[in-house]
Amino acid sequence: MARSVRGIEPLVAAEIRNSRLGRVSGLRHREVWFEPSGSWAGLTGLRTADDVLLVAAVVDGVGPARAALRRLAAAALTITHPGVPAQPGIEVSASFVGRRNYTRFEIEDAVGAELARRLGSPYHSRSGGAAPPGGCVAWRVTIEGDRAVIAVRIAGRPLHRRPYKTASIRGTLHPPLAAAMAGLARLAGARTVLDPCCGAGTTLIEAATLAPQALLLGLDHDPAAIAAARENARHAENGADGADGAPRRTADLRGPAGGIRTGRGTRFRWGVADAGRVPVAGGSVDRVLVNPPWGRQVPPAGELAREPERLWREIRRVLARDGLVVALSYDEGGDPPGFETVERVEVSLSGRHPVLAVLRLRERRRASRGRAG
């Protein structure tokens, strides 16, 4: 079972199918159920999934009353060894949809105590506020409707905790959501991919796995963000996220006066620049991935603080006529000027409901109609 951000379950399912990692059997709230087609090793490479777990028990008849805790405990006591390597202890995290007459901590303790008894490992509760020690086998309980699932993580850490992401800034993007944006951008064949508000570089680093030949341009008004992006990209290229594992160097982009310095051994270019004055030639970008500074976590700066619509004017200027934009949008005011929506995916993120919007230039459709006539 793959866990995901709410709203992108179909994208996770598509990644599983396209990667030939398994046969998808169903979707639930933040869950994609599938049967692996081979070993578990490839499953830890899923980019759009928050986590991948082995389902150990499915429990029906789990209602909102406290009697459900006894039912869950009884189910946990029947679980055989899950096949993951033995560890020094057990931890359990729980979540549910809808109202219940019990808390997540009561679910965790009911299941954890019986798992410990069944498997012969100590259970480390979260109910007192203490975090479980490192190295524990991680179990998860999810409840939707009257069905509960008890599952165990197959990797040593959740998939969304990318090894490359050692540097972070306020408002940094959740890596599986960034991977979903990259997937929606149809990056195959793209030569140049731009993120004009790149933050810690997450979106372009995720895009690198889908666009192995593309030049990846990351700009941000904040020098600290560029420093974080450069550091994360270095880890991605030197570690497991690199294409060949060989050490590489990352380069800087200084703009607008300094232009682009290409450097050797990397496809990433990072630079401090104003998203209202992008130092890139017109029509030269095939794809734009952008999480604009909407003022919720990161306020607009520079030209965008005075005139936010300049962002879309600049994106429109640099985008190739057949290019695409994927934006994380909180704006319900319709399409940005000069663009039309190709696809919309509503997601749930930190209590809000932004949209992943796939956009193209509106003039493209008009030009196509003119040629057809």
mmCIF file of all heavy atoms in Angstrom, residues 20-68:
data_model
loop_
_atom_site.group_PDB
_atom_site.id
_atom_site.type_symbol
_atom_site.label_atom_id
_atom_site.label_comp_id
_atom_site.label_asym_id
_atom_site.label_seq_id
_atom_site.Cartn_x
_atom_site.Cartn_y
_atom_site.Cartn_z
ATOM 1 N N ARG A 20 5.972 -0.204 -13.849
ATOM 2 C CA ARG A 20 5.796 -1.659 -13.833
ATOM 3 C C ARG A 20 6.189 -2.271 -12.493
ATOM 4 O O ARG A 20 6.768 -3.353 -12.430
ATOM 5 C CB ARG A 20 6.592 -2.306 -14.973
ATOM 6 C CG ARG A 20 6.157 -1.826 -16.357
ATOM 7 C CD ARG A 20 6.910 -2.515 -17.468
ATOM 8 N NE ARG A 20 6.454 -2.038 -18.775
ATOM 9 C CZ ARG A 20 6.945 -2.450 -19.931
ATOM 10 N NH1 ARG A 20 7.933 -3.348 -19.940
ATOM 11 N NH2 ARG A 20 6.479 -1.971 -21.069
ATOM 12 N N LEU A 21 5.853 -1.551 -11.430
ATOM 13 C CA LEU A 21 6.171 -2.029 -10.094
ATOM 14 C C LEU A 21 5.069 -2.884 -9.496
ATOM 15 O O LEU A 21 5.285 -3.555 -8.489
ATOM 16 C CB LEU A 21 6.448 -0.844 -9.164
ATOM 17 C CG LEU A 21 7.720 -0.055 -9.465
ATOM 18 C CD1 LEU A 21 7.797 1.187 -8.589
ATOM 19 C CD2 LEU A 21 8.947 -0.931 -9.254
ATOM 20 N N GLY A 22 3.877 -2.843 -10.096
ATOM 21 C CA GLY A 22 2.797 -3.640 -9.537
ATOM 22 C C GLY A 22 1.487 -3.401 -10.252
ATOM 23 O O GLY A 22 1.372 -2.543 -11.132
ATOM 24 N N ARG A 23 0.500 -4.165 -9.852
ATOM 25 C CA ARG A 23 -0.856 -4.050 -10.398
ATOM 26 C C ARG A 23 -1.726 -3.347 -9.371
ATOM 27 O O ARG A 23 -1.920 -3.840 -8.260
ATOM 28 C CB ARG A 23 -1.427 -5.421 -10.716
ATOM 29 C CG ARG A 23 -2.814 -5.384 -11.392
ATOM 30 C CD ARG A 23 -3.297 -6.781 -11.717
ATOM 31 N NE ARG A 23 -3.560 -7.556 -10.519
ATOM 32 C CZ ARG A 23 -4.704 -7.507 -9.819
ATOM 33 N NH1 ARG A 23 -5.677 -6.685 -10.199
ATOM 34 N NH2 ARG A 23 -4.861 -8.255 -8.758
ATOM 35 N N VAL A 24 -2.242 -2.174 -9.724
ATOM 36 C CA VAL A 24 -3.064 -1.385 -8.809
ATOM 37 C C VAL A 24 -4.433 -2.032 -8.671
ATOM 38 O O VAL A 24 -5.084 -2.352 -9.669
ATOM 39 C CB VAL A 24 -3.188 0.068 -9.302
ATOM 40 C CG1 VAL A 24 -4.142 0.870 -8.413
ATOM 41 C CG2 VAL A 24 -1.819 0.736 -9.350
ATOM 42 N N SER A 25 -4.859 -2.212 -7.423
ATOM 43 C CA SER A 25 -6.149 -2.867 -7.171
ATOM 44 C C SER A 25 -7.199 -1.919 -6.616
ATOM 45 O O SER A 25 -8.390 -2.262 -6.608
ATOM 46 C CB SER A 25 -5.959 -4.040 -6.203
ATOM 47 O OG SER A 25 -5.361 -3.605 -4.993
ATOM 48 N N GLY A 26 -6.821 -0.743 -6.131
ATOM 49 C CA GLY A 26 -7.830 0.167 -5.611
ATOM 50 C C GLY A 26 -7.226 1.399 -4.978
ATOM 51 O O GLY A 26 -6.041 1.433 -4.641
ATOM 52 N N LEU A 27 -8.064 2.447 -4.832
ATOM 53 C CA LEU A 27 -7.662 3.701 -4.211
ATOM 54 C C LEU A 27 -8.600 4.009 -3.057
ATOM 55 O O LEU A 27 -9.817 3.786 -3.148
ATOM 56 C CB LEU A 27 -7.716 4.864 -5.220
ATOM 57 C CG LEU A 27 -6.532 5.086 -6.156
ATOM 58 C CD1 LEU A 27 -6.322 3.890 -7.086
ATOM 59 C CD2 LEU A 27 -6.733 6.356 -6.979
ATOM 60 N N ARG A 28 -8.018 4.493 -1.956
ATOM 61 C CA ARG A 28 -8.792 4.989 -0.826
ATOM 62 C C ARG A 28 -8.236 6.359 -0.439
ATOM 63 O O ARG A 28 -7.372 6.899 -1.110
ATOM 64 C CB ARG A 28 -8.691 4.032 0.370
ATOM 65 C CG ARG A 28 -9.240 2.639 0.119
ATOM 66 C CD ARG A 28 -9.731 1.960 1.384
ATOM 67 N NE ARG A 28 -8.872 2.152 2.547
ATOM 68 C CZ ARG A 28 -9.283 1.959 3.806
ATOM 69 N NH1 ARG A 28 -10.537 1.592 4.047
ATOM 70 N NH2 ARG A 28 -8.468 2.126 4.826
ATOM 71 N N HIS A 29 -8.751 6.905 0.652
ATOM 72 C CA HIS A 29 -8.288 8.199 1.139
ATOM 73 C C HIS A 29 -6.793 8.121 1.442
ATOM 74 O O HIS A 29 -6.365 7.411 2.357
ATOM 75 C CB HIS A 29 -9.062 8.567 2.409
ATOM 76 C CG HIS A 29 -8.626 9.853 3.045
ATOM 77 N ND1 HIS A 29 -9.100 11.080 2.657
ATOM 78 C CD2 HIS A 29 -7.741 10.104 4.044
ATOM 79 C CE1 HIS A 29 -8.553 12.019 3.394
ATOM 80 N NE2 HIS A 29 -7.716 11.451 4.246
ATOM 81 N N ARG A 30 -5.981 8.794 0.612
ATOM 82 C CA ARG A 30 -4.526 8.856 0.767
ATOM 83 C C ARG A 30 -3.849 7.489 0.629
ATOM 84 O O ARG A 30 -2.714 7.314 1.065
ATOM 85 C CB ARG A 30 -4.145 9.490 2.108
ATOM 86 C CG ARG A 30 -4.598 10.937 2.293
ATOM 87 C CD ARG A 30 -3.921 11.574 3.479
ATOM 88 N NE ARG A 30 -2.463 11.585 3.282
ATOM 89 C CZ ARG A 30 -1.588 11.833 4.252
ATOM 90 N NH1 ARG A 30 -2.016 12.082 5.485
ATOM 91 N NH2 ARG A 30 -0.289 11.835 4.002
ATOM 92 N N GLU A 31 -4.509 6.529 0.006
ATOM 93 C CA GLU A 31 -3.942 5.189 -0.128
ATOM 94 C C GLU A 31 -4.090 4.675 -1.559
ATOM 95 O O GLU A 31 -5.133 4.890 -2.192
ATOM 96 C CB GLU A 31 -4.615 4.208 0.827
ATOM 97 C CG GLU A 31 -4.393 4.504 2.291
ATOM 98 C CD GLU A 31 -5.151 3.557 3.209
ATOM 99 O OE1 GLU A 31 -5.886 2.681 2.707
ATOM 100 O OE2 GLU A 31 -5.016 3.715 4.433
ATOM 101 N N VAL A 32 -3.066 3.992 -2.033
ATOM 102 C CA VAL A 32 -3.116 3.283 -3.308
ATOM 103 C C VAL A 32 -2.741 1.834 -3.017
ATOM 104 O O VAL A 32 -1.636 1.550 -2.552
ATOM 105 C CB VAL A 32 -2.144 3.882 -4.343
ATOM 106 C CG1 VAL A 32 -2.186 3.085 -5.649
ATOM 107 C CG2 VAL A 32 -2.476 5.351 -4.605
ATOM 108 N N TRP A 33 -3.667 0.931 -3.299
ATOM 109 C CA TRP A 33 -3.445 -0.487 -3.029
ATOM 110 C C TRP A 33 -2.969 -1.167 -4.309
ATOM 111 O O TRP A 33 -3.529 -0.943 -5.385
ATOM 112 C CB TRP A 33 -4.743 -1.145 -2.547
ATOM 113 C CG TRP A 33 -5.099 -0.755 -1.131
ATOM 114 C CD1 TRP A 33 -5.241 0.505 -0.640
ATOM 115 C CD2 TRP A 33 -5.334 -1.639 -0.051
ATOM 116 N NE1 TRP A 33 -5.563 0.469 0.689
ATOM 117 C CE2 TRP A 33 -5.632 -0.834 1.084
ATOM 118 C CE3 TRP A 33 -5.352 -3.024 0.089
ATOM 119 C CZ2 TRP A 33 -5.922 -1.379 2.333
ATOM 120 C CZ3 TRP A 33 -5.649 -3.569 1.332
ATOM 121 C CH2 TRP A 33 -5.925 -2.751 2.438
ATOM 122 N N PHE A 34 -1.945 -1.991 -4.166
ATOM 123 C CA PHE A 34 -1.405 -2.665 -5.343
ATOM 124 C C PHE A 34 -0.691 -3.944 -4.934
ATOM 125 O O PHE A 34 -0.320 -4.132 -3.768
ATOM 126 C CB PHE A 34 -0.448 -1.734 -6.104
ATOM 127 C CG PHE A 34 0.810 -1.375 -5.353
ATOM 128 C CD1 PHE A 34 2.010 -2.028 -5.619
ATOM 129 C CD2 PHE A 34 0.807 -0.384 -4.379
ATOM 130 C CE1 PHE A 34 3.172 -1.701 -4.933
ATOM 131 C CE2 PHE A 34 1.967 -0.046 -3.688
ATOM 132 C CZ PHE A 34 3.152 -0.706 -3.972
ATOM 133 N N GLU A 35 -0.537 -4.820 -5.913
ATOM 134 C CA GLU A 35 0.213 -6.067 -5.730
ATOM 135 C C GLU A 35 1.550 -5.921 -6.437
ATOM 136 O O GLU A 35 1.595 -5.743 -7.654
ATOM 137 C CB GLU A 35 -0.567 -7.245 -6.316
ATOM 138 C CG GLU A 35 -1.901 -7.485 -5.639
ATOM 139 C CD GLU A 35 -2.691 -8.599 -6.316
ATOM 140 O OE1 GLU A 35 -2.111 -9.273 -7.203
ATOM 141 O OE2 GLU A 35 -3.869 -8.773 -5.966
ATOM 142 N N PRO A 36 2.673 -5.990 -5.701
ATOM 143 C CA PRO A 36 3.992 -5.815 -6.339
ATOM 144 C C PRO A 36 4.236 -6.872 -7.401
ATOM 145 O O PRO A 36 3.836 -8.028 -7.264
ATOM 146 C CB PRO A 36 4.972 -5.953 -5.176
ATOM 147 C CG PRO A 36 4.164 -5.680 -3.947
ATOM 148 C CD PRO A 36 2.782 -6.189 -4.246
ATOM 149 N N SER A 37 4.916 -6.457 -8.469
ATOM 150 C CA SER A 37 5.207 -7.384 -9.558
ATOM 151 C C SER A 37 6.554 -8.059 -9.384
ATOM 152 O O SER A 37 6.890 -8.971 -10.137
ATOM 153 C CB SER A 37 5.181 -6.647 -10.902
ATOM 154 O OG SER A 37 6.064 -5.548 -10.887
ATOM 155 N N GLY A 38 7.349 -7.625 -8.408
ATOM 156 C CA GLY A 38 8.650 -8.243 -8.178
ATOM 157 C C GLY A 38 9.074 -8.032 -6.741
ATOM 158 O O GLY A 38 8.244 -8.030 -5.825
ATOM 159 N N SER A 39 10.367 -7.846 -6.517
ATOM 160 C CA SER A 39 10.875 -7.630 -5.165
ATOM 161 C C SER A 39 10.454 -6.254 -4.657
ATOM 162 O O SER A 39 10.043 -5.382 -5.415
ATOM 163 C CB SER A 39 12.399 -7.754 -5.148
ATOM 164 O OG SER A 39 12.991 -6.655 -5.819
ATOM 165 N N TRP A 40 10.613 -6.058 -3.361
ATOM 166 C CA TRP A 40 10.251 -4.780 -2.757
ATOM 167 C C TRP A 40 11.248 -3.682 -3.070
ATOM 168 O O TRP A 40 10.965 -2.501 -2.864
ATOM 169 C CB TRP A 40 10.159 -4.926 -1.240
ATOM 170 C CG TRP A 40 9.095 -5.852 -0.770
ATOM 171 C CD1 TRP A 40 8.117 -6.426 -1.528
ATOM 172 C CD2 TRP A 40 8.902 -6.303 0.566
ATOM 173 N NE1 TRP A 40 7.314 -7.212 -0.738
ATOM 174 C CE2 TRP A 40 7.774 -7.157 0.551
ATOM 175 C CE3 TRP A 40 9.549 -6.086 1.765
ATOM 176 C CZ2 TRP A 40 7.297 -7.787 1.699
ATOM 177 C CZ3 TRP A 40 9.077 -6.701 2.911
ATOM 178 C CH2 TRP A 40 7.972 -7.542 2.871
ATOM 179 N N ALA A 41 12.431 -4.035 -3.541
ATOM 180 C CA ALA A 41 13.508 -3.058 -3.670
ATOM 181 C C ALA A 41 13.104 -1.851 -4.513
ATOM 182 O O ALA A 41 13.378 -0.704 -4.158
ATOM 183 C CB ALA A 41 14.739 -3.721 -4.267
ATOM 184 N N GLY A 42 12.433 -2.081 -5.638
ATOM 185 C CA GLY A 42 12.068 -0.977 -6.508
ATOM 186 C C GLY A 42 11.014 -0.068 -5.933
ATOM 187 O O GLY A 42 10.897 1.094 -6.350
ATOM 188 N N LEU A 43 10.244 -0.543 -4.964
ATOM 189 C CA LEU A 43 9.141 0.247 -4.416
ATOM 190 C C LEU A 43 9.640 1.467 -3.663
ATOM 191 O O LEU A 43 8.943 2.476 -3.577
ATOM 192 C CB LEU A 43 8.272 -0.618 -3.499
ATOM 193 C CG LEU A 43 7.650 -1.866 -4.141
ATOM 194 C CD1 LEU A 43 6.825 -2.622 -3.111
ATOM 195 C CD2 LEU A 43 6.791 -1.480 -5.343
ATOM 196 N N THR A 44 10.831 1.385 -3.096
ATOM 197 C CA THR A 44 11.349 2.526 -2.346
ATOM 198 C C THR A 44 11.801 3.654 -3.266
ATOM 199 O O THR A 44 12.173 4.725 -2.786
ATOM 200 C CB THR A 44 12.525 2.089 -1.449
ATOM 201 O OG1 THR A 44 13.563 1.539 -2.269
ATOM 202 C CG2 THR A 44 12.080 1.052 -0.436
ATOM 203 N N GLY A 45 11.754 3.444 -4.575
ATOM 204 C CA GLY A 45 12.085 4.500 -5.531
ATOM 205 C C GLY A 45 10.887 5.288 -6.004
ATOM 206 O O GLY A 45 11.039 6.186 -6.843
ATOM 207 N N LEU A 46 9.693 4.996 -5.500
ATOM 208 C CA LEU A 46 8.511 5.774 -5.887
ATOM 209 C C LEU A 46 8.677 7.228 -5.453
ATOM 210 O O LEU A 46 8.998 7.511 -4.299
ATOM 211 C CB LEU A 46 7.256 5.187 -5.245
ATOM 212 C CG LEU A 46 6.741 3.880 -5.843
ATOM 213 C CD1 LEU A 46 5.643 3.284 -4.959
ATOM 214 C CD2 LEU A 46 6.227 4.099 -7.257
ATOM 215 N N ARG A 47 8.451 8.161 -6.366
ATOM 216 C CA ARG A 47 8.677 9.574 -6.077
ATOM 217 C C ARG A 47 7.421 10.281 -5.567
ATOM 218 O O ARG A 47 7.530 11.221 -4.775
ATOM 219 C CB ARG A 47 9.172 10.307 -7.336
ATOM 220 C CG ARG A 47 10.303 9.676 -8.087
ATOM 221 C CD ARG A 47 11.560 9.524 -7.280
ATOM 222 N NE ARG A 47 12.137 10.801 -6.863
ATOM 223 C CZ ARG A 47 13.345 10.908 -6.302
ATOM 224 N NH1 ARG A 47 14.079 9.831 -6.091
ATOM 225 N NH2 ARG A 47 13.802 12.092 -5.937
ATOM 226 N N THR A 48 6.242 9.876 -6.033
ATOM 227 C CA THR A 48 5.019 10.588 -5.656
ATOM 228 C C THR A 48 4.398 10.053 -4.371
ATOM 229 O O THR A 48 3.480 10.663 -3.843
ATOM 230 C CB THR A 48 3.975 10.504 -6.780
ATOM 231 O OG1 THR A 48 3.756 9.130 -7.131
ATOM 232 C CG2 THR A 48 4.439 11.271 -8.015
ATOM 233 N N ALA A 49 4.871 8.928 -3.856
ATOM 234 C CA ALA A 49 4.320 8.327 -2.642
ATOM 235 C C ALA A 49 5.012 8.875 -1.401
ATOM 236 O O ALA A 49 6.225 9.065 -1.383
ATOM 237 C CB ALA A 49 4.464 6.812 -2.689
ATOM 238 N N ASP A 50 4.227 9.133 -0.359
ATOM 239 C CA ASP A 50 4.797 9.515 0.929
ATOM 240 C C ASP A 50 5.467 8.336 1.614
ATOM 241 O O ASP A 50 6.455 8.500 2.328
ATOM 242 C CB ASP A 50 3.694 10.044 1.858
ATOM 243 C CG ASP A 50 3.376 11.508 1.608
ATOM 244 O OD1 ASP A 50 3.901 12.075 0.633
ATOM 245 O OD2 ASP A 50 2.596 12.077 2.396
ATOM 246 N N ASP A 51 4.901 7.146 1.410
ATOM 247 C CA ASP A 51 5.415 5.965 2.085
ATOM 248 C C ASP A 51 4.864 4.722 1.388
ATOM 249 O O ASP A 51 3.857 4.802 0.669
ATOM 250 C CB ASP A 51 4.975 5.955 3.555
ATOM 251 C CG ASP A 51 5.997 5.307 4.477
ATOM 252 O OD1 ASP A 51 6.950 4.703 3.963
ATOM 253 O OD2 ASP A 51 5.839 5.420 5.705
ATOM 254 N N VAL A 52 5.526 3.596 1.576
ATOM 255 C CA VAL A 52 5.053 2.309 1.075
ATOM 256 C C VAL A 52 5.070 1.320 2.226
ATOM 257 O O VAL A 52 6.072 1.206 2.946
ATOM 258 C CB VAL A 52 5.917 1.793 -0.090
ATOM 259 C CG1 VAL A 52 5.465 0.400 -0.508
ATOM 260 C CG2 VAL A 52 5.837 2.737 -1.276
ATOM 261 N N LEU A 53 3.949 0.621 2.408
ATOM 262 C CA LEU A 53 3.797 -0.298 3.531
ATOM 263 C C LEU A 53 3.276 -1.646 3.068
ATOM 264 O O LEU A 53 2.573 -1.733 2.046
ATOM 265 C CB LEU A 53 2.839 0.293 4.580
ATOM 266 C CG LEU A 53 3.165 1.702 5.076
ATOM 267 C CD1 LEU A 53 2.188 2.701 4.460
ATOM 268 C CD2 LEU A 53 3.124 1.790 6.584
ATOM 269 N N LEU A 54 3.601 -2.664 3.818
ATOM 270 C CA LEU A 54 3.084 -4.001 3.593
ATOM 271 C C LEU A 54 1.853 -4.188 4.464
ATOM 272 O O LEU A 54 1.918 -4.038 5.695
ATOM 273 C CB LEU A 54 4.143 -5.044 3.949
ATOM 274 C CG LEU A 54 3.714 -6.507 3.894
ATOM 275 C CD1 LEU A 54 3.391 -6.930 2.470
ATOM 276 C CD2 LEU A 54 4.799 -7.400 4.494
ATOM 277 N N VAL A 55 0.720 -4.487 3.852
ATOM 278 C CA VAL A 55 -0.521 -4.670 4.599
ATOM 279 C C VAL A 55 -0.465 -5.996 5.345
ATOM 280 O O VAL A 55 -0.276 -7.059 4.751
ATOM 281 C CB VAL A 55 -1.737 -4.628 3.655
ATOM 282 C CG1 VAL A 55 -3.021 -4.937 4.436
ATOM 283 C CG2 VAL A 55 -1.834 -3.258 2.987
ATOM 284 N N ALA A 56 -0.637 -5.914 6.663
ATOM 285 C CA ALA A 56 -0.589 -7.110 7.502
ATOM 286 C C ALA A 56 -1.976 -7.577 7.922
ATOM 287 O O ALA A 56 -2.187 -8.764 8.182
ATOM 288 C CB ALA A 56 0.256 -6.849 8.747
ATOM 289 N N ALA A 57 -2.946 -6.653 8.022
ATOM 290 C CA ALA A 57 -4.303 -7.031 8.430
ATOM 291 C C ALA A 57 -5.286 -5.975 7.947
ATOM 292 O O ALA A 57 -4.992 -4.780 7.967
ATOM 293 C CB ALA A 57 -4.405 -7.176 9.944
ATOM 294 N N VAL A 58 -6.461 -6.445 7.524
ATOM 295 C CA VAL A 58 -7.586 -5.581 7.188
ATOM 296 C C VAL A 58 -8.715 -5.940 8.143
ATOM 297 O O VAL A 58 -9.108 -7.113 8.253
ATOM 298 C CB VAL A 58 -8.036 -5.767 5.728
ATOM 299 C CG1 VAL A 58 -9.262 -4.911 5.435
ATOM 300 C CG2 VAL A 58 -6.905 -5.422 4.774
ATOM 301 N N VAL A 59 -9.213 -4.931 8.855
ATOM 302 C CA VAL A 59 -10.187 -5.169 9.921
ATOM 303 C C VAL A 59 -11.479 -4.437 9.583
ATOM 304 O O VAL A 59 -11.507 -3.195 9.520
ATOM 305 C CB VAL A 59 -9.653 -4.689 11.285
ATOM 306 C CG1 VAL A 59 -10.572 -5.169 12.411
ATOM 307 C CG2 VAL A 59 -8.221 -5.165 11.511
ATOM 308 N N ASP A 60 -12.552 -5.163 9.359
ATOM 309 C CA ASP A 60 -13.859 -4.569 9.094
ATOM 310 C C ASP A 60 -14.643 -4.422 10.392
ATOM 311 O O ASP A 60 -14.321 -5.024 11.417
ATOM 312 C CB ASP A 60 -14.637 -5.421 8.095
ATOM 313 C CG ASP A 60 -14.044 -5.360 6.697
ATOM 314 O OD1 ASP A 60 -13.668 -4.248 6.275
ATOM 315 O OD2 ASP A 60 -13.932 -6.415 6.046
ATOM 316 N N GLY A 61 -15.704 -3.619 10.336
ATOM 317 C CA GLY A 61 -16.555 -3.428 11.505
ATOM 318 C C GLY A 61 -15.956 -2.543 12.564
ATOM 319 O O GLY A 61 -16.290 -2.665 13.746
ATOM 320 N N VAL A 62 -15.060 -1.639 12.168
ATOM 321 C CA VAL A 62 -14.410 -0.734 13.122
ATOM 322 C C VAL A 62 -15.225 0.560 13.174
ATOM 323 O O VAL A 62 -15.056 1.453 12.335
ATOM 324 C CB VAL A 62 -12.947 -0.452 12.716
ATOM 325 C CG1 VAL A 62 -12.291 0.505 13.705
ATOM 326 C CG2 VAL A 62 -12.166 -1.751 12.621
ATOM 327 N N GLY A 63 -16.117 0.642 14.129
ATOM 328 C CA GLY A 63 -16.993 1.792 14.236
ATOM 329 C C GLY A 63 -16.413 2.896 15.085
ATOM 330 O O GLY A 63 -15.258 2.835 15.519
ATOM 331 N N PRO A 64 -17.211 3.951 15.364
ATOM 332 C CA PRO A 64 -16.716 5.088 16.148
ATOM 333 C C PRO A 64 -16.690 4.838 17.652
ATOM 334 O O PRO A 64 -16.075 5.605 18.385
ATOM 335 C CB PRO A 64 -17.700 6.204 15.795
ATOM 336 C CG PRO A 64 -18.973 5.485 15.454
ATOM 337 C CD PRO A 64 -18.554 4.205 14.806
ATOM 338 N N ALA A 65 -17.364 3.790 18.132
ATOM 339 C CA ALA A 65 -17.407 3.523 19.568
ATOM 340 C C ALA A 65 -16.087 2.927 20.042
ATOM 341 O O ALA A 65 -15.311 2.360 19.267
ATOM 342 C CB ALA A 65 -18.567 2.573 19.888
ATOM 343 N N ARG A 66 -15.857 2.985 21.349
ATOM 344 C CA ARG A 66 -14.597 2.541 21.912
ATOM 345 C C ARG A 66 -14.395 1.032 21.807
ATOM 346 O O ARG A 66 -13.263 0.549 21.923
ATOM 347 C CB ARG A 66 -14.493 2.982 23.376
ATOM 348 C CG ARG A 66 -14.439 4.514 23.514
ATOM 349 C CD ARG A 66 -14.247 4.912 24.976
ATOM 350 N NE ARG A 66 -13.000 4.400 25.516
ATOM 351 C CZ ARG A 66 -11.803 4.947 25.322
ATOM 352 N NH1 ARG A 66 -11.697 6.039 24.568
ATOM 353 N NH2 ARG A 66 -10.729 4.426 25.856
ATOM 354 N N ALA A 67 -15.455 0.312 21.542
ATOM 355 C CA ALA A 67 -15.305 -1.131 21.332
ATOM 356 C C ALA A 67 -14.384 -1.432 20.149
ATOM 357 O O ALA A 67 -13.804 -2.520 20.061
ATOM 358 C CB ALA A 67 -16.670 -1.760 21.102
ATOM 359 N N ALA A 68 -14.215 -0.466 19.264
ATOM 360 C CA ALA A 68 -13.332 -0.651 18.119
ATOM 361 C C ALA A 68 -11.897 -0.902 18.556
ATOM 362 O O ALA A 68 -11.144 -1.601 17.873
ATOM 363 C CB ALA A 68 -13.401 0.575 17.208
#
